[in-house]
Amino acid sequence: MPAMRLSWDIFCSVIDNFGDIGVCWRLARQLADERAEPVRLWVDDLAAFAQLERRLDATRDEQDLDGVYIQRWQAPFPAVQPQAVVIEAFACNPPADFLAAMAAQRPPPVWINLEYLSAEAWVEGCHALGSRHPRLPLTHHFFFPGFTAKTGGLLREADLLAARDVFQTHQGAQQQWLSALGLDAQEQTLPRVSLFCYDNPVLAELLAHWSRAQPLCLLVADGKPRRAVAEWLGEDFPPGSHVQRGQLRLIALPFLPQSDYDRLLWSCQLNFVRGEDSFVRAQWAARPMVWHIYPQEEDAHLIKLDAFLARYTEGLSTADEALVQGFWQAWNRGDGEACVRGWPALWQAQARLAEHARRWSDELAQAPDLMQALAAFASEKRQAAG
């Protein structure tokens, strides 16, 4: 059944990092660009959003960017007509007045809770299930991104992989972009690793090891990674800094817009990423990566880590599977000794791991992307409702 023309409300509550708004902003722009449909993005923290999107004016309650109508989510909530599809990102609970307005529409909007990404097996059984609201005539649908045909897929713009391939095979484009980022000709000859992580006690031990190992250029993301490197250095490390410690060249990056962050991932031999948004983009980059999963109480995140590793390492040799699993586990469990011990072999395996990362990306790309899956699901529900 072809997807019908729709309109969209997306609600985003910015928690303590940029993953929530990063996912919502990508989704909103893709809907507006590729489907040319009305999209209204409600965000409760425009100041945080403005760090991610420099064109945003955090002092304005309403504005348009890239075909998306952005509105501050605040109380009292304005009396507005809900769109045909309402997405609450990560169970952020739309306002009661808005839910009442949804219930008054005929047919009511398709109401979707866009869940967090997980590779756990139970996700397939819960994907697209509905739940009736306890008081209102509304059904709440749970939509899970994922890595299999029985989930909703991953965010991927239509031209993303073609743009990646052009960039990665065009040496001049890479040099031009790295120069604009502030790397000189000598720095561009060094092997490159990008660092985007949460606070991690292991990092200091790895930095010390890298300073004694082979030449390496570490491109450090702004925020927590940059502050952690500054603490290790024992000196200020503001954006734009270039510091040498032994064999290690450290470069403090400014906060990058999403399109430039993609190019950073495409430009490096290995990427340390965190959370959900950068984790997905690293997979589309088709480069070796190390994931710092968002820590949860009672180590629930480690179960999710194991579930993804089990899928991701399929097809690797026994030795390389052990390398990847061992280093990722050590990085996420705070085992600095194991990280330092495992790094040389992990780095030496990068050519094989790069081939594996490309295969993994190609396999994921065979499935519809998350935006397409959401549109198809919402269209089906709207048509069934008449």
Side-chain angles (χ1 to χ4, degrees), residues 92-109:
C92 63
N93 298 318
D97 290 349
F98 188 83
L99 290 178
M102 289 168 57
Q105 287 190 189
R106 291 293 178 271

Side-chain angles (χ1 to χ4, degrees), residues 27 30 112-118 123-129 142-156 276 280 284 364 366-377:
L27 174 61
Q30 190 180 359
I112 298 172
N113 179 23
L114 181 59
E115 297 279 359
Y116 287 105
L117 174 64
S118 177
V123 166
E124 293 184 342
C126 295
H127 174 61
L129 291 183
F142 302 95
F143 207 88
F144 285 84
F147 305 94
T148 73
K150 295 181 180 179
T151 64
L154 304 174
L155 279 175
R156 182 185 78 248
E276 179 167 328
V280 171
W284 295 133
L364 291 178
Q366 299 306 306
D369 68 79
L370 179 62
M371 186 277 287
Q372 293 174 320
L374 280 165
F377 177 80

Side-chain angles (χ1 to χ4, degrees), residues 289-310:
M289 63 179 180
V290 178
W291 182 29
H292 197 182
I293 190 170
Y294 187 77
Q296 294 179 295
E297 293 181 0
E298 299 181 357
D299 287 341
H301 60 292
L302 297 179
I303 298 173
K304 296 180 179 181
L305 180 70
D306 289 341
F308 178 75
L309 277 170

Side-chain angles (χ1 to χ4, degrees), residues 72-115:
R72 191 187 305 275
W73 177 3
Q74 59 186 340
F77 197 80
V80 296
Q81 184 83 355
Q83 306 277 36
V85 186
V86 175
I87 294 179
E88 58 167 307
F90 317 119
C92 63
N93 298 318
D97 290 349
F98 188 83
L99 290 178
M102 289 168 57
Q105 287 190 189
R106 291 293 178 271
V110 181
W111 181 15
I112 298 172
N113 179 23
L114 181 59
E115 297 279 359

Side-chain angles (χ1 to χ4, degrees), residues 243-281:
V243 176
Q244 190 74 35
R245 285 293 185 272
Q247 297 279 59
L248 180 62
R249 186 69 168 173
L250 296 142
I251 299 177
L253 301 177
F255 200 103
L256 297 176
Q258 288 181 326
S259 58
D260 278 333
Y261 184 70
D262 281 330
R263 290 179 176 83
L264 174 68
L265 297 173
W266 300 346
S267 301
C268 291
Q269 282 72 52
L270 186 144
N271 297 296
F272 284 78
V273 293
R274 76 183 195 193
E276 179 167 328
D277 186 53
S278 64
F279 171 53
V280 171
R281 304 312 280 195

